[in-house]
Amino acid sequence: MSATPAPAPARPAAPAAPLPPAPRLRRYLTGRPPAERACHLVGLLLIAAGLSHLAVAAADPRPWFGPLSWRKPVTFGLSFGGTLIAVTWVASHLRLAARTRALLLGVFAADCVLEVTGITVQAWRHVPSHFNTETPADALIAYSLAAGGAVLVATLGALALLAFRGRVEGPPSRRLALRAGFALLLAGLGSGVAMIVRGVTLSRAQGPATAYAEAGFLKGFHALTLHAVLLLPALAAYLARRPLPEARRTRLVALATAAYVLLCAATLLLSLLQAA
């Protein structure tokens, strides 16, 4: 009688396939405090408002340049929405009390909404938004925009001061990117103040038409410097995910910063020469 063959050993069960990781953006947003999530949402709404005016511009054609253009609600919505999202993200790397961060970001978000709303309302009213005090409503909006500009300088200046004092969480490459980004951002705010002062002076001396034509002589420099606070930290964040030593990441951020500063300086010089 033959022996019964022994059963074959059971194969070990294959390991379960790992669940796909949640997208980085969703993980970031779900892990942030409510105030920061609200600021990101407001920023997206401002961007959407700016993009929607491209359709308005197609339905109601106007000259793309000039004080009555639909370009202004488009560019202001995109710029302020993007800047709000960028500043909210960058501020999450600053060491400060949660309540203080929420307060600064809340004031900044409200001010962004005020600025975009004022520009958009005047575009729909078919009147200039800047240097326009013809009626009480125009004066109220113009002075509100000017006051909002002062609030922007104060809130962003406070965040920049924290970055300059070294209260930045993260490696040297991130600290360099945040400091450089905020420094260029402050230069952009300064150029905005310079354009407003020039516009007010020209409006009083030569009339609003001259102010509308010549006050925006620093627009290129203004745009470049305002968005450095997003671009340079974004570069540092990208490099942080690369298999590079931190010393090399810092050198790359420094090179990018130097190139960005040279580009801004060249743009400023060209603008000044054209305005002379």
Side-chain angles (χ1 to χ4, degrees):
M1 183 175 181
S2 61
T4 304
R11 293 183 179 180
L19 294 175
R24 286 193 179 94
L25 178 59
R26 187 170 64 188
R27 292 204 309 270
Y28 167 75
L29 291 177
T30 55
R32 304 315 304 169
E36 294 182 30
R37 294 201 300 269
C39 287
H40 284 292
L41 175 60
V42 171
L44 291 174
L45 291 175
L46 292 177
I47 291 174
L51 291 175
S52 69
H53 281 84
L54 290 174
V56 175
D60 179 23
R62 300 182 192 174
W64 187 246
F65 297 99
L68 303 181
S69 172
W70 289 117
R71 170 187 55 85
K72 299 187 75 173
V74 171
T75 55
F76 272 71
L78 295 176
S79 181
F80 273 92
T83 301
L84 175 57
I85 292 173
V87 168
T88 302
W89 171 58
V90 168
S92 68
H93 300 303
L94 298 177
R95 292 195 297 269
L96 71 164
R99 183 173 299 181
T100 303
R101 180 185 289 108
L103 175 61
L104 289 173
L105 291 178
V107 171
F108 181 59
D111 203 28
C112 289
V113 172
L114 171 67
E115 295 287 324
V116 175
T117 300
I119 296 294
T120 304
V121 166
Q122 293 298 72
W124 281 95
R125 294 179 68 226
H126 298 266
V127 296
S129 54
H130 290 88
F131 321 125
N132 178 16
T133 57
E134 293 295 322
T135 68
D138 293 331
L140 175 62
I141 292 176
Y143 294 140
S144 297
L145 293 175
V151 174
L152 288 177
V153 173
T155 52
L156 293 175
L159 293 173
L161 181 61
L162 291 170
F164 297 154
R165 294 178 60 186
R167 299 180 64 177
V168 180
E169 295 177 346
S173 56
R174 179 186 294 171
R175 294 198 294 270
L176 173 60
L178 263 67
R179 289 174 180 175
F182 271 117
L184 288 167
L185 174 64
L186 293 181
L189 293 175
S191 66
V193 172
M195 288 189 288
I196 291 174
V197 171
R198 179 178 173 85
V200 170
T201 303
L202 290 172
S203 180
R204 291 175 178 174
Q206 304 178 36
T210 303
Y212 301 143
E214 300 184 16
F217 69 110
L218 294 177
K219 283 181 180 178
F221 177 79
H222 185 66
L224 276 175
T225 49
L226 281 184
H227 297 295
V229 76
L230 169 62
L231 297 177
L232 293 177
L235 173 63
Y238 169 78
L239 293 175
R241 296 195 295 269
R242 302 295 95 192
L244 299 172
E246 177 56 27
R248 186 176 179 186
R249 295 191 192 112
T250 304
R251 286 196 299 270
L252 290 173
V253 171
L255 287 173
T257 300
Y260 205 101
V261 169
L262 288 175
L263 176 61
C264 292
T267 303
L268 176 60
L269 179 60
L270 181 61
S271 300
L272 293 175
L273 291 174
Q274 291 176 343

